[in-house]
Every structure is written in C-alpha cells, then in structure tokens.
Amino acid sequence: MAHHSSSHDGTPSRENWGSRVGFIMAAAGSAVGLGNIWKFPYTAGESGGGAFVLIYLFFVIFIGFSVMLTEFSLGRKTGRAAVGAFKSVDKRWSFTGVIGVLSGLLIMGFYPVVGGWALAYIFKVGGGLLNEPSAIGATFDGFITNPLEPLYWMAAYLLVNLLVVAKGISGGIEKAGKVLMPMLFFILIIIAVKGLTLPGSGKGLEFLFSPDFSKVNGEVVLAALGQAFFSLSLGMGCMITYGSYLKKKENLVQNTAIVTGMDTAVALLAGIAMFPAMFAFSMEPAAGPGLVFVVVPQLFAEMTGGMIFALIFFIGLTVAALTSSVSLLEVVVAYLIDEKQLSRPKAVIAAGSVMVLLCIMASLSLGGVGPTLFDTGLFDIFDLLTDKIFLAIGGMFICIFAGWKLSKQELKQEITNDGEISFPLFNLWYGLVKYVIPVAVAIVAIGGILSGFDSGKGPIMILGISIIALLALLSKKL
Ligand code: PHE
C-alpha cells in the first residue's frame, strides 16, 4: 500500500508507489498495450514497413526517451498530475495539461472498443473460431461492424478499468502490472518463434526491417512520430501523473531507459510475431486494424494445439490493454480529483460516463452508423486527433515548458537527485528538450498535415490544431 511521504522540498505529500519494481511495471504496463501489439504492426504495414520502423525507432531514441524523462521529472518535481504540474509553475501553461486530459478522454473513446475486441476474442477462440480458418477474416469484419455485440464487450472491458482505478493507485494498478506484464512478454516470444518457423516467413522480416524510402512521405513520418508518442504513453501527462507518485530517491534516467526499452522490445517482438506469419500465409501487409485479430487466429488454426496459444495471446493482449487504459483513465481521474475536488469514486464515475458514450459512438461508426466529419467516422477521428496531433503537439509543449519555464539548474537537481546520480548526457538531453524536439515536432507536424490533405485527413488534423489553439487561449480559465 502507499506510504505518505512529506518530501524535503515542500511539495504536497502524496501516495507513493509501494516499490521500485511496482513503479517500473506500472509505467511499462502503461506503455505496453494495444499500441504495441495492435497498432504498431498494422500502422507499419500500412506505412510501407521497414522505412517506417526505422523512423519510428529514431524518434523513440531521440525524442521519446527525452520526453519521458522530462515527464517523470515534471511529475516528481511538482508532485502533481497532468494539469497541476503546469499550473503550479505558471497558470498560463494549464492548457498543456488540459490537452493531455482531453487526449486521455478521446483515446478512451476508442481504446476500450479495441480492448473489448481482445476480450471477446478470448471467448471466440475458446468457442471454436479456429475450426474454420477460411472464415476468420470474415468473422472479424462481421463482428466489429455488428452494432450490438462489440458494445457488450466494450462495456465489460471499460467496467474493469473503472473498478481498478476506483481502488486507487497502488492497490489496483501496481498489483495488476506486477503479475501480468512478464506473462505477456513470455507469450509474445512463443508466438514469434512459432511464426518464424513457418516456410516463407523470411519475407516478413525483410518487409519489417529493410527500408524502402520511396514509400516515405510527410504522413508516414508523422505516423511514426505519433506511434512513438502513443506507444510510450507520452505527450499527455500520463507519465507526469505516474511520476508524481514516484519517490525522491528513484533514479529517473534508469527508469526511463527501462520503460522505453521494454516498450520498444515488445513492439518489435509483436512485429516479428505478425509479419513472418502474414507473409507465410500470403496475406496483405496493409490489412488495417483487423491485422492481429485475423493473423493470430489464422496462424494458430493451422497448428496442432494452436488454440491454447491463441487463447493465451488474447488473454495477454487484453491484460496489456488494461494496464494501459487504466493509466489513461487515471490521467482524467487525477485531474478531476486534484483540480475539481471530486472524490475518487465520483471522478471515476464522471470520467467513465463520458467514455462509455464516446465508445458507443466510436464502435457504431465502424458499422457506418452515426455522425461523420469530412467523411470520417468517430473511431478514426478520435484516433487521428490524438495519435497524429494532440500527443505530439502536447509533447512539444511539455518540452518547451521544461526548457524555457524551468531553470537548467532545477532540472539538473531533479534528474540527478540533487547530485547523487550522475547523468553524463544531461546537456545533450537539455539541448534536445529545449531546442531540437520543439522544432522537430513542429516540422514533422506541418509536413504531416500538408501531406494529409492528399489523403483527406488534413482537415481533421487542422481541427486538432484549432482545438489546441483554443485551449491555449482559454488557459487561465482551465
Ligand atoms: N501506450 C499505450 C499503448 O501502447 C497507450 C497509451 C497512450 C497509454 C497514451 C497512456 C497514454 O497501448
């Protein structure tokens, strides 16, 4: 259970993580989720493969790592969640936190829909899905476009989230992460090894790892940046919130390295698990959001005892999704508790009610029901707004805030625990955060939006930018 600590620099006393491993597991649990196992493979598939993967890795190392370290530092230094962390330094910066809360809300407007699919697939696999391999693709399409069935699963999935977050920070999240994360890693290794033994699988590895830069345009680069932020849970104050529960003596640099490393390893592992099997079965790499739900059952359908592996996979996927969505919900809940003075149960109910409405609309949009904007359904709109715009721009503002509103000295003290830990790359990190990352994100975003106009996604991205501008203008009232 959490300990109350009054820290030496007078920040408010706050619940703490029960143990170091508990924190790493929870932060890695937040990072590792549908982003790695569902989104990464299909985005890589749609974005041409190797070149996308290479650009993504470049962004993880040079932007993701630095932003995560920045978020952990801001959270622990201020002892406050997404909005409070900025507000406690300068009220005009509240909007950066509010972009994060809004991102949390909108991601939770589609994430539980996919989490519900994963949950449903445990039962579908158990109920004999693999017996008819040729029908697996059609089963998935039929399932997600059905108006009602996915809603039950989404509701069940969301309910588990609400219960975990209602129990409080270390009671629920920490315990769940500790048991379930190692299990998932193990399952993925089994699947990857299975996939690699199939004849013809080599082409999958080639697709994933040999870059063809002729496939790269502004949208691919922005997709890679968005994927890095989404997968690492960055740009929306999630890691600020988790950092705010972190003890003063923890080594932030090391924690950042471990979480970034684990997240990236799982994404690559998921790619290695998916693409060789796809190529062995001559499936389309650009299969879209159905990829894992079609490839994995198909892969295991052709193997004796495959049902067990498929079952374990979807249990693992559901659990990985849960430890992530719990952190998304926590950002919104922590905001309502800290800034709006709601009790934890009330905050959970308020956030949950909005999320269930968004999810219903998002799920229905896949069957062509409900409002569209610029010919795009709500599921895709929520995804586009957050993954392509809010997270990256949010991360940019987090860096500008840290670099320009805080002094180099206070950042150094926070990161090195008042000089107890050496961080030889401090100056490099500082330069990246203060100058390079803000400029780089701005350039990638502009390039992505411009090329987004060719594919029809531009107007929604512009909408996202306008929402951010509006929040910035309203900042003092937030
Ligand atoms: N990183 C999570 C995943 O990969 C999603 C997430 C995004 C969680 C942002 C928290 C904040 O599934």
Side-chain angles (χ1 to χ4, degrees):
M1 184 46 212
H3 320 286
H4 283 273
S5 64
S6 39
S7 43
H8 52 261
D9 62 356
T11 49
S13 97
R14 198 168 173 84
E15 279 189 295
N16 277 160
W17 298 96
S19 67
R20 160 133 199 268
V21 177
F23 171 76
I24 290 178
M25 284 302 168
S30 164
V32 177
L34 294 171
N36 310 56
I37 300 165
W38 164 72
K39 205 172 212 294
F40 174 74
Y42 91 75
T43 310
E46 285 177 341
S47 310
F52 169 88
V53 174
L54 209 66
I55 299 170
Y56 159 78
L57 288 175
F58 179 83
F59 285 150
V60 166
I61 294 168
F62 288 101
I63 296 185
F65 180 92
S66 305
V67 175
M68 190 181 292
L69 182 55
T70 308
E71 290 203 24
F72 283 158
S73 314
L74 284 178
R76 190 176 69 170
K77 179 169 171 45
T78 59
R80 289 193 171 82
V83 176
F86 299 97
K87 213 180 201 174
S88 66
V89 177
D90 183 343
K91 248 188 143 206
R92 282 171 305 179
W93 278 82
S94 319
F95 76 95
T96 306
V98 174
I99 298 170
V101 175
L102 186 65
S103 306
L105 208 62
L106 291 181
I107 295 175
M108 283 303 278
F110 71 90
Y111 205 95
V113 174
V114 183
W117 299 348
L119 182 61
Y121 262 64
I122 300 174
F123 294 87
K124 286 189 190 293
V125 167
L129 177 74
L130 310 192
N131 296 343
E132 229 183 302
S134 58
I136 287 172
T139 305
F140 178 77
D141 293 337
F143 169 60
I144 66 161
T145 53
N146 181 309
L148 281 182
E149 199 193 344
L151 295 186
Y152 305 139
W153 295 106
M154 175 275 288
Y157 176 90
L158 187 57
L159 192 67
V160 178
N161 281 276
L162 300 177
L163 292 175
V164 172
V165 172
K167 282 181 68 190
I169 187 72
S170 50
I173 305 175
E174 199 170 329
K175 262 186 224 146
K178 243 187 224 170
V179 185
L180 300 165
M181 289 305 298
M183 202 172 106
L184 176 73
F185 204 76
F186 177 68
I187 298 164
L188 271 175
I189 292 177
I190 296 178
I191 297 181
V193 170
K194 282 268 171 194
L196 282 171
T197 57
L198 297 175
S201 61
K203 284 214 193 71
L205 284 187
E206 206 182 302
F207 176 81
L208 202 56
F209 293 115
S210 73
D212 171 2
F213 284 100
S214 69
K215 292 178 178 157
V216 174
N217 60 19
E219 237 187 295
V220 168
V221 179
L222 179 59
L225 182 66
Q227 179 63 32
F229 275 95
F230 187 89
S231 186
L232 292 166
S233 303
L234 297 177
M236 54 159 288
C238 179
M239 294 308 191
I240 296 180
T241 307
Y242 271 25
S244 75
Y245 302 114
L246 194 54
K247 285 187 197 134
K248 290 288 170 192
K249 64 177 190 336
E250 292 296 351
N251 183 334
L252 297 181
V253 179
Q254 215 176 60
N255 279 310
T256 304
I258 294 173
V259 175
T260 309
M262 280 168 82
D263 185 71
T264 309
V266 174
L268 292 177
L269 203 56
I272 296 171
M274 238 44 78
F275 285 100
M278 286 182 72
F279 277 82
F281 294 141
S282 345
M283 292 181 200
E284 262 303 303
L291 200 142
V292 284
F293 294 94
V294 178
V295 171
V296 172
Q298 192 117 347
L299 170 77
F300 289 128
E302 320 226 335
M303 272 170 221
T304 36
M307 190 183 114
I308 302 292
F309 287 112
L311 263 183
I312 302 178
F313 176 81
F314 285 109
I315 294 172
L317 183 61
T318 307
V319 166
L322 271 173
T323 53
S324 300
S325 49
V326 152
S327 74
L328 286 157
L329 178 58
E330 177 65 23
V331 170
V332 181
V333 166
Y335 165 72
L336 294 174
I337 295 174
D338 288 359
E339 306 298 322
K340 304 287 165 205
Q341 281 76 43
L342 294 191
S343 65
R344 184 166 274 272
K346 281 206 183 114
V348 168
I349 292 171
S353 316
V354 178
M355 287 164 187
V356 81
L357 289 178
L358 297 180
C359 283
I360 290 173
M361 295 195 292
S363 184
L364 289 176
S365 76
L366 296 174
V369 180
T372 59
L373 194 62
F374 303 108
D375 276 336
T376 313
L378 281 179
F379 187 99
D380 294 329
I381 292 178
F382 295 162
D383 173 59
L384 263 173
L385 283 178
T386 52
D387 180 74
K388 300 287 180 310
I389 299 294
F390 288 175
L391 298 186
I393 304 287
M396 178 184 91
F397 281 121
I398 289 170
C399 288
I400 297 176
F401 175 83
W404 298 87
K405 295 300 296 185
L406 301 179
S407 75
K408 190 172 180 179
Q409 194 50 34
E410 38 182 355
L411 288 168
K412 188 159 195 168
Q413 275 180 352
E414 189 60 41
I415 290 181
T416 61
N417 296 356
D418 298 325
E420 271 169 40
I421 290 164
S422 84
F423 178 35
L425 298 179
F426 177 82
N427 283 327
L428 173 63
W429 168 82
Y430 186 71
L432 283 173
V433 166
K434 187 163 183 167
Y435 306 103
V436 180
I437 296 176
V439 175
V441 171
I443 293 173
V444 173
I446 292 171
I449 292 171
L450 290 180
S451 95
F453 276 100
D454 298 332
S455 64
K457 294 180 191 143
I460 290 168
M461 298 187 197
I462 296 287
L463 174 71
I465 300 283
S466 317
I467 294 174
I468 293 177
L470 190 70
L471 289 175
L473 284 173
L474 294 175
S475 207
K476 282 203 183 132
K477 301 207 174 65
L478 298 168

